[in-house]
Amino acid sequence: MAAALGGLGLLQGRVRLAAAAAATSSLSRPGRRALVRGGAAALPSAERSYGSEAKEEEELRVRYLDDEHKGIVVLGLNRSHAKNALNKNLLKMMSKAVDALKSDKKVRTVIFRSEVPGIFCAGADLKERAKMHSSEVSSFVSKARATINEMGGTQRLPRTIGVSLAKELIFSARVVDGEEAKSIGLISHVVEQNEAGDAAYRRALALAREFLPQGPLAMRVAKLAINQGMEVDLVTGLAIEEACYAQTIPTKDRIEGLLAFKEKRPPRYKGE
């Protein structure tokens, strides 16, 4: 079974992120299932039928998709020799890419995936880590944490599946299969694997296309309301929701949405 998990996030309230992780290569055969969490996907073999190409030697491939996928950016991990383990260079590239996307108003959705068959990310590059001074380790971990936090998307494990289950998985280091992962809420979608081995990515792309027509301002405040509301009690959460909605009232997009509904046509949002 080929697996992917991840989640949706927002880069500085502007860009939606579909982040994901694929399982081991022995599980990525056609006919098996691929798993997607929260609009996320990443399975082997890069999509090459559209969008700009990245150089083969790049450890992180950044592709801006075209045509009907315009507004979607794919970040692909490409350290095949190290099973996409995070080293200083890859982390630097990821941080740089995220910073660039935050300031790009044309980017609506980001899909984070692996370009390496059967692997998403093996975690930190322990071979490089063993050569680091203790002060370098601390700096590296802080940088990694900050970069992942910029992506938003997935909550910490206890917030996602509950404290009891999180402790069980962390304390036992048990590997769960796709069905169990879905049953405990670790992933959101299970799809049949395809011949190309990128079924989860295809599912993420389909979800990303559903996001594209929606109003960017409304999506931003909705994400803000969800994220902040989860941290407080219901009464405070409702107040946050009201404050977020108030931000959309004076916008041109809100008027456009109302007109489109009245005229029975698709809205044409401009993020204004």
Side-chain angles (χ1 to χ4, degrees):
M1 182 179 292
L5 59 134
L8 292 179
L10 203 63
L11 301 181
Q12 293 290 45
R14 183 175 295 131
V15 181
R16 279 201 175 277
L17 172 70
T24 60
S25 56
S26 62
L27 303 178
S28 60
R29 297 167 184 157
R32 299 306 178 95
R33 292 190 173 188
L35 312 177
V36 185
R37 182 187 183 278
L43 274 181
S45 92
E47 173 55 44
R48 306 185 190 282
S49 61
Y50 46 78
S52 57
E53 286 298 318
K55 296 180 180 179
E56 287 293 327
E57 67 269 22
E58 291 180 348
E59 294 187 338
L60 181 70
R61 297 180 179 177
V62 181
R63 293 182 297 120
Y64 289 72
L65 304 190
D66 301 323
D67 303 322
E68 71 271 26
H69 300 101
K70 189 174 183 179
I72 300 174
V73 176
V74 180
L75 301 182
L77 297 177
N78 190 43
R79 292 193 75 213
S80 58
H81 65 284
K83 297 183 178 180
N84 287 339
L86 297 176
N87 64 349
K88 289 188 289 186
N89 182 59
L90 181 55
L91 185 61
K92 179 181 179 181
M93 295 179 71
M94 289 170 57
S95 179
K96 183 178 180 180
V98 169
D99 285 341
L101 292 173
K102 286 191 300 183
S103 60
D104 190 343
K105 294 184 178 180
K106 295 181 180 179
V107 177
R108 294 293 307 280
T109 305
V110 177
I111 297 178
F112 194 69
R113 66 171 301 190
S114 171
E115 301 279 354
V116 180
I119 294 294
F120 179 69
C121 178
D125 189 330
L126 298 183
K127 291 183 179 180
E128 181 185 71
R129 179 75 63 86
K131 301 175 182 178
M132 291 183 185
H133 185 272
S134 57
S135 60
E136 289 184 281
V137 173
S138 178
S139 176
F140 177 85
V141 172
S142 296
K143 181 68 173 179
R145 190 187 306 277
T147 301
I148 297 302
N149 284 343
E150 284 284 1
M151 296 180 185
T154 54
Q155 298 288 314
R156 298 294 185 263
L157 188 63
R159 293 178 180 274
T160 303
I161 65 175
V163 174
S164 296
L165 279 174
K167 287 182 177 179
E168 181 179 326
L169 295 183
I170 292 172
F171 295 167
S172 67
R174 187 174 79 247
V175 177
V176 299
D177 62 23
E179 294 302 325
E180 182 179 359
K182 189 174 189 301
S183 70
I184 64 177
L186 191 58
I187 58 175
S188 302
H189 302 275
V190 179
V191 294
E192 292 295 333
Q193 186 58 284
N194 58 21
E195 291 293 330
D198 65 353
Y201 169 66
R202 290 291 179 176
R203 177 60 173 148
L205 195 60
L207 289 171
R209 288 183 63 180
E210 290 185 44
F211 303 153
L212 290 178
Q214 312 309 320
L217 297 178
M219 291 176 68
R220 182 171 66 221
V221 296
K223 184 65 177 184
L224 182 65
I226 293 171
N227 282 352
Q228 292 193 356
M230 286 295 293
E231 304 294 330
V232 298
D233 60 87
L234 179 59
V235 174
T236 305
L238 291 172
I240 291 173
E241 178 185 68
E242 183 177 2
C244 285
Y245 177 70
Q247 295 180 42
T248 69
I249 294 178
T251 65
K252 294 179 181 179
D253 275 2
R254 187 182 76 89
I255 302 302
E256 166 61 16
L258 295 173
L259 287 175
F261 179 78
K262 181 180 180 180
E263 298 170 4
K264 298 181 180 179
R265 61 172 175 79
R268 296 182 289 270
Y269 298 118
K270 298 181 179 179
E272 300 175 351

